[in-house]
Amino acid sequence: MKKISLSFLFLILMFVACRNNQQNIEDRKVDSVTVTDDVSAVSENVQKETNCFPAIERYLVNEFGKQYLKGEYCIPFQTVIAVDERNSEDILVWGDFWVFNYNLVGDTLETVSGGSHPGLMHIKQTDKGFEVTAFDQVEDGSNNVASAKRIFGDKYENFRAVNSDDKKREKNRAEILANYVKKHNIAATKYKDYGWPEKQIPLD
């Protein structure tokens, strides 16, 4: 058996060490790319809308909230009567839609303005999410009942029951306010309509 000099053995060990180090660097590069891709995918999924209700809220704020006396916060809420999603180009949402503007006074959201806008939302699904393309609104005054029956059709009785249930509507409103103040870190624990006693926001 031939003897291997210490110098030659040292060169072999250095070569192996360099190869291992290079392999570790390559592994870390691959891991880094993989992590980055995963984060991008998660971020995209989080940002992409999964239903049409945020589009309805945007519409209520932009189309109706701005028509009322302005407040610090414009907060819509809705009670959905029925949804028809068979056509992604024209998703139909029947509902009792409301929007209110508030000012924060101390720890209370005081109502500045707002109102009810029941009707039928026409919504289109796009690559970026959803958008309201049209709104069939129940008319005020003498045409109120006739227009509601025309818009809601066989859903009219359900709409009438929802629209006349003040207690359930206020419960829904309070829950929406709770979600809103939590999401936007607003220091509010109560809300108050003009001429009415303040009510607790169910934050627990």
Side-chain angles (χ1 to χ4, degrees):
M1 175 182 264
K2 295 183 179 179
K3 293 183 180 180
I4 300 175
S5 68
L6 290 177
S7 300
F8 183 68
L9 181 59
F10 178 74
L11 289 174
I12 292 175
L13 292 173
M14 286 293 293
F15 176 76
V16 171
C18 289
R19 290 286 295 174
N20 288 338
N21 187 49
Q22 181 65 30
Q23 185 62 46
N24 289 336
I25 292 172
E26 294 300 323
D27 288 343
R28 285 198 296 273
K29 287 181 180 178
V30 172
D31 290 342
S32 176
V33 171
T34 302
V35 170
T36 302
D37 290 345
D38 288 345
V39 170
S40 298
V42 170
S43 177
E44 182 179 353
N45 289 334
V46 169
Q47 293 176 3
K48 189 174 182 181
E49 290 180 347
T50 57
N51 62 62
C52 61
F53 299 113
I56 294 175
E57 293 174 356
R58 288 193 298 271
Y59 185 85
L60 291 172
V61 169
N62 294 326
E63 295 298 322
F64 297 119
K66 293 178 180 179
Q67 295 177 14
Y68 294 107
L69 185 63
K70 188 176 180 181
E72 293 177 81
Y73 305 101
C74 183
I75 307 175
F77 73 97
Q78 55 197 290
T79 302
V80 174
I81 308 301
V83 178
D84 183 347
E85 297 179 302
R86 288 175 293 180
N87 181 2
S88 63
E89 294 292 313
D90 188 22
I91 298 169
L92 307 176
V93 180
W94 292 265
D96 190 19
F97 306 106
W98 290 74
V99 63
F100 286 102
N101 290 319
Y102 301 90
N103 283 335
L104 182 63
V105 180
D107 64 347
T108 303
L109 285 172
E110 294 190 355
T111 304
V112 175
S113 59
S116 170
H117 300 273
L120 169 62
M121 295 277 182
H122 296 262
I123 301 165
K124 179 180 179 180
Q125 186 172 8
T126 70
D127 294 337
K128 296 180 179 180
F130 297 84
E131 62 177 280
V132 176
T133 58
F135 179 50
D136 303 331
Q137 182 172 349
V138 173
E139 298 178 37
D140 294 326
S142 60
N143 289 327
N144 179 266
V145 174
S147 63
K149 287 183 175 180
R150 172 176 51 81
I151 292 169
F152 285 91
D154 60 359
K155 307 167 188 63
Y156 173 73
E157 290 302 325
N158 289 339
F159 161 68
R160 193 169 69 116
V162 166
N163 186 252
S164 61
D165 192 339
D166 295 340
K167 289 183 178 179
K168 192 170 183 178
R169 181 168 56 250
E170 275 305 300
K171 183 176 182 294
N172 183 22
R173 179 186 178 191
E175 290 172 352
I176 293 298
L177 284 173
N179 291 333
Y180 190 92
V181 299
K182 288 176 184 177
K183 181 178 179 180
H184 297 278
N185 296 316
I186 300 171
T189 60
K190 297 183 286 291
Y191 70 102
K192 183 181 185 302
D193 294 330
Y194 181 77
W196 290 85
E198 59 189 24
K199 298 179 180 180
Q200 289 294 132
I201 298 175
L203 297 172
D204 296 333

